[in-house]
Amino acid sequence: MAEAATGFLEQLKSCMVWSWTYLWTVWFFFMLFLVYILRVPLKINDNLSTVSMFLNTLTPKFYVALTGTSSLISGLILIFEWWYFRKYGTSFIEQVSVSHLRPLLGGVDNSPPSNSNTSNGDADSSRQSVSECKVWRNPLNLFRGAEYNRYTWVTGREPLTYYDMNLSAQDHQTFFTCDTDHMRPADAIMQKAWRERNPQARISAAHEALELNYRCATAFILLAEEEATTIVEAEKLFKQALKAGEGCYRRSQQLQHHGAQYEAQHRRDTNVLVYIKRRLAMCARKLGRTREAVKMMRDLMKEFPLLSMFNIHENLLEALLELQAYADVQAVLAKYDDISLPKSATICYTAALLKARAVSDKFSPEAASRRGLSTAEMNAVEAIHRAVEFNPHVPKYLLEMKSLILPPEHILKRGDSEAIAYAFFHLQHWKRVEGALNLLHCTWEGTFRMIPYPLEKGHLFYPYPICTETADRELLPSFHEVSVYPKKELPFFILFTAGLCSFTAMLALLTHQFPELMGVFAKAFLSTLFAPLNFVMEKVESILPSSLWHQLTRI
């Protein structure tokens, strides 16, 4: 009995599925049949005659007004749809269908990824309450005087936007100043210098501060960043800043527990010392002393393990890749590619590069399609898909499908600015690994098949934030074409309303120019509109037996 009941339920479910699939077609023909049956009691023939008589009495002015009104309404709909698309990146009508109709029809689930799918993603759901488009300082930002300004001298273009430089000014005020600076004349001058918009005014203020105190570390930092025209000059100034910064750090360390003001001063001196040592390590890396740079970065991370906000490990990863110390790179990734830590393009793509390195030299798409992917190849492809899901802009720069520019001083994670910053320094590392770019070229686009609705649901990470384009346009210079993902194609309803508006506008124009001819055309069109109904009813009458047809017509 139980088996019979189960079988009956399965048949019932299949019938319901079938009926739901063909419900609208069956309902349409049923309504046609019902209208034809009830044409006598409802006096449909008389009503059609009345309608026909009414249409014959209409003047051309009516058709002009009708088509003009239709054109106006469709134009208003088009303007609203276009405004909504420009502001929110989607059609209003499609958004309503996605939000309200798709869930009713069993569409995409908008819930965040489950824990099983976020083993490599950000598991802390509370992060969703924080703005998705938080801007981060670029760990590998260049030197303004020695690199950004040199680019401006050669090309005449400004590589940094005002918004980007304003964020840097805010960072400098946060890291390099404290409430007690007004008590020391040199620090008071530097406090004003970090707020100056004019570069020459900042440099002059730094020189003035050094005249008052030749051990003002922040003044040396400003000159190294903005006045030095070469990396060698910047390194010399940073070494002078290091001597001054270490003395200030030792003095404030002894007094940090004597009050809140001393605690704030020690925090400032700590930030200054860490910044100087990091920039010295970057100078060594740029001057070819990579092993020295690696040692300085490791020592800095050991001395200040809690200052993870500077993301020094990303500098370390890049230097280790230059040394081709892949085992050390894997060790660093094992520590920082953790579920509890925020991800970055450097973390995800470096992990993908290491896994691709194991198989890329022998990888062939033709052979893989014949025999299938091995376990190592599958791991490499999954790592690439993970990296591309986190930041889909990077592959075009690595594959040189899009030209690079100088990276900004701030980046937006998962945005085009982060992709530029990563590819600018890591493209050479991908080229050094034989076949890695070929493997990336063959597999990266497969990521988008796993996340067909990236703004609604992700696979290993949370849905892709829709605010990245706006923030990237603020961070990147105007001469750069910002990469947008997902690509904003015109929604169907905007194209539909545009066609409708154009069609009705054309009808309005023709009706205004040729009212009588368009009136004849409208009457002919309406008369042919009801012809299929009569044709269907005649076919039904010819198929059914005459006795059954008479019984149905009597009901």
Side-chain angles (χ1 to χ4, degrees), residues 347-359:
I347 293 292
C348 295
Y349 278 89
T350 302
L353 176 61
L354 292 187
K355 292 188 177 180
R357 176 176 170 269
V359 298

Side-chain angles (χ1 to χ4, degrees), residues 60-96:
K61 292 183 179 180
F62 170 80
Y63 295 104
V64 172
L66 177 64
T67 53
T69 304
S70 302
S71 177
L72 177 63
I73 294 175
S74 58
L76 293 176
I77 295 174
L78 175 62
I79 292 172
F80 174 76
E81 280 283 287
W82 179 254
W83 169 82
Y84 194 89
F85 172 73
R86 294 289 296 176
K87 186 173 183 179
Y88 299 104
T90 184
S91 165
F92 173 77
I93 300 175
E94 290 185 2
Q95 185 68 20
V96 170

Side-chain angles (χ1 to χ4, degrees), residues 70 121 233 295 400 406 421 463 479 497 508:
S70 302
E233 294 178 13
K295 183 180 183 305
E400 299 182 81
L406 293 186
F479 58 82
T497 52

Side-chain angles (χ1 to χ4, degrees), residues 460-477:
L460 297 173
F461 298 97
Y462 282 102
Y464 189 80
I466 60 176
C467 59
T468 54
E469 180 185 359
T470 304
D472 278 331
R473 291 190 186 280
E474 295 288 337
L475 290 172
L476 298 172

Side-chain angles (χ1 to χ4, degrees), residues 246-372:
E246 286 178 336
C248 294
Y249 176 77
R250 284 192 296 267
R251 287 192 297 271
S252 64
Q253 190 177 29
Q254 297 173 356
L255 301 173
Q256 62 176 316
H257 301 297
H258 292 190
Q261 292 182 344
Y262 293 103
E263 179 68 27
Q265 186 175 344
H266 177 67
R267 190 182 309 113
R268 189 276 305 271
D269 292 338
T270 302
N271 291 335
V272 169
L273 184 62
V274 171
Y275 185 89
I276 293 171
K277 289 187 174 182
R278 179 197 191 138
R279 293 304 258 179
L280 278 172
M282 295 177 69
C283 287
R285 167 69 184 91
K286 291 175 184 290
L287 294 173
R289 305 195 308 270
T290 310
R291 295 188 182 277
E292 178 185 346
V294 168
K295 183 180 183 305
M296 295 172 68
M297 292 174 191
R298 289 188 185 277
D299 293 342
L300 185 58
M301 294 169 67
K302 290 179 182 178
E303 187 177 0
F304 302 98
L306 299 180
L307 293 181
S308 59
M309 61 181 176
F310 289 102
N311 293 326
I312 304 173
H313 61 276
E314 297 199 9
N315 299 86
L316 179 61
L317 284 172
E318 196 279 327
L320 290 173
L321 286 172
E322 178 63 22
L323 295 175
Q324 302 184 42
Y326 297 111
D328 293 335
V329 173
Q330 184 61 57
V332 175
L333 284 178
K335 182 178 180 181
Y336 289 96
D337 193 3
D338 186 80
I339 189 173
S340 62
L341 297 177
K343 299 295 176 289
S344 67
T346 301
I347 293 292
C348 295
Y349 278 89
T350 302
L353 176 61
L354 292 187
K355 292 188 177 180
R357 176 176 170 269
V359 298
S360 60
D361 57 337
K362 299 179 181 178
F363 178 79
S364 171
E366 294 79 10
S369 62
R370 289 195 304 269
R371 58 174 171 78

Side-chain angles (χ1 to χ4, degrees), residues 125-252:
S125 60
S126 64
R127 294 178 189 167
Q128 294 304 296
S129 60
V130 184
S131 174
E132 290 284 356
C133 289
K134 177 183 177 182
V135 177
W136 301 71
R137 187 160 182 84
N138 183 6
L140 297 169
N141 66 304
L142 305 178
F143 293 84
R144 282 196 189 177
E147 293 173 304
Y148 287 121
N149 287 348
R150 186 176 295 275
Y151 177 84
T152 303
W153 298 337
V154 174
T155 64
R157 293 177 169 180
E158 290 290 344
L160 298 177
T161 63
Y162 172 74
Y163 175 72
D164 192 14
M165 292 188 289
N166 185 53
L167 291 176
S168 297
Q170 295 176 18
D171 293 339
H172 295 153
Q173 294 174 55
T174 302
F175 295 145
F176 302 151
T177 63
C178 65
D179 296 335
T180 62
D181 284 345
H182 66 277
M183 301 170 59
R184 297 173 296 277
D187 289 338
I189 292 175
M190 288 306 301
Q191 192 174 42
K192 294 179 181 178
W194 296 120
R195 293 196 295 265
E196 282 285 349
R197 294 178 58 179
N198 190 326
Q200 292 302 321
R202 289 196 298 269
I203 293 173
S204 299
H207 283 293
E208 183 181 351
L210 286 175
E211 291 177 359
L212 295 175
N213 180 9
Y214 68 97
R215 290 185 177 180
C216 183
T218 54
F220 283 117
I221 290 176
L222 192 148
L223 295 177
E225 290 286 350
E226 301 194 30
E227 188 180 43
T229 57
T230 63
I231 301 298
V232 175
E233 294 178 13
E235 186 180 36
K236 290 179 180 178
L237 289 169
F238 273 120
K239 287 181 178 178
Q240 293 178 275
L242 180 62
K243 293 179 181 178
E246 286 178 336
C248 294
Y249 176 77
R250 284 192 296 267
R251 287 192 297 271
S252 64

